[in-house]
């Protein structure tokens, strides 16, 4: 117990209802894998901790009409899952989140709720048109991912809500996808830019295109001008339709310690072209 408070300083609920009921009370710090929470807070981790790792409803994948991914599903479980080719980009991103220890405990929900501009899970989920399911003891709601992520470390999550699951709509399970990440070295690195592309090809032409780019601005985003340029292109020369100007226009990249805006603009455009080729290969 925390002195002076009538709440325990740690709880590990066994059901979603129990977790939501607890969350309606005193200011809990939510813990999933802890791979963002502990490095950020360290010894200063204050407040009672609500550990989500024992709630079955928050974990695992269910493929039916679309795909439901429990928020506390670790990256390693996503990597091992047998999923359609449209999900390949997400699995490639999972393989690049830290090393194996981080993938074993770090979760997809923690990646989204931490809301880092460089969160590798976000571009593939944007390209999949993902929605997030949020719940409190009183109600639940769904939001498109781009309305959940509001800025660096800012989300639409209310203090009494949990991120329960990520939903990929059935229509986004079509096609093939690819994820590419650029960092200062090949592994265990914060992205300078990362790109996810999902393409549906019909009769040799691109029928649907979704492109998500991250680590170039405050939040990752889709590139509608690039997507429009890809639709209708012959698959054989689709990558040549990706223009630096279209990428830059949608992206508005930033300067920071990792790269300049000019470098990011060119790098992101080249990553999109490569991801298009890889998705179609
Ligand atoms: C060495 C190392 C390397 C890393 N490399 C990468 C990398 O390459 N790419 C990358 O994207 N990330 C990387 N990360 C960051 C981290 O591993 C991921 O973002 C991971 O997915 C976070 O998940 P978690 O379960 O550990 O989150 P936690 O640390 O448990 O939680 C993160 C935040 O989300 C909140 N939260 C968690 N789950 C929920 C929920 N269901 N509902 C509401 N709030 C919730 C927590 O309160 C906290 O504020 C790295 C971290 C480390 C330590």
């Amino acid at each position: 117990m925390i002195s002076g408070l009538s709440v325990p300083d740690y709880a590990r609920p066994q059901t979603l209802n129990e977790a939501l009921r607890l969350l309606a009370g005193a200011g809990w710090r939510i813990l999933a894998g802890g791979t963002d929470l502990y490095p950020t807070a360290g010894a200063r981790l204050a407040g009672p901790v609500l550990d989500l790792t024992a709630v079955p409803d928050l974990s695992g994948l269910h493929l039916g009409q679309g795909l439901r991914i429990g928020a506390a599903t670790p990256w390693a479980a996503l990597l091992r899952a047998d999923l359609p080719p449209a999900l390949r980009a997400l699995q490639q991103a999972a393989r690049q989140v830290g090393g194996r220890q981080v993938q074993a405990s770090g979760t997809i929900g923690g990646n989204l709720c931490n809301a880092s501009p460089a969160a590798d899970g976000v571009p593939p989920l944007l390209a999949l048109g993902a929605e997030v399911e949020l719940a409190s003891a009183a109600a639940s709601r769904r939001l498109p991912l781009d309305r959940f992520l509001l800025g660096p470390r800012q989300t639409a999550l209310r203090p009494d809500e949990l991120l329960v699951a990520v939903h990929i709509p059935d229509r986004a399970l079509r096609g093939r996808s690819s994820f590419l990440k650029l960092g200062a070295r090949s592994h265990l690195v914060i992205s300078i830019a990362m790109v996810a592309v999902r393409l549906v090809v019909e009769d040799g032409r691109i029928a649907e295109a979704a492109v998500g780019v991250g680590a170039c601005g405050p939040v990752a985003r889709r590139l509608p001008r690039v997507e429009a340029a890809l639709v209708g292109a012959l698959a054989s020369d689709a990558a040549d339709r990706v223009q630096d100007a279209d990428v830059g226009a949608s992206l508005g990249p930033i300067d920071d310690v990792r790269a300049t805006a000019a470098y990011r603009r060119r790098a992101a455009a080249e990553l999109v072209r490569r991801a298009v080729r890889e998705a179609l290969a």
Side-chain angles (χ1 to χ4, degrees), residues 30-37 39 52 71 75 96-98 102 105-107 109-111 113-114 118-120 157 162-163 181 189:
I30 297 164
L31 171 72
T35 62
D36 273 319
L37 190 66
L52 301 180
W75 292 111
Q96 301 226 23
V97 175
V102 169
S105 51
T107 65
N111 196 245
C113 292
N114 189 56
D120 284 321
L157 196 72
L162 281 182
L163 171 58
K181 166 171 170 171
V189 69

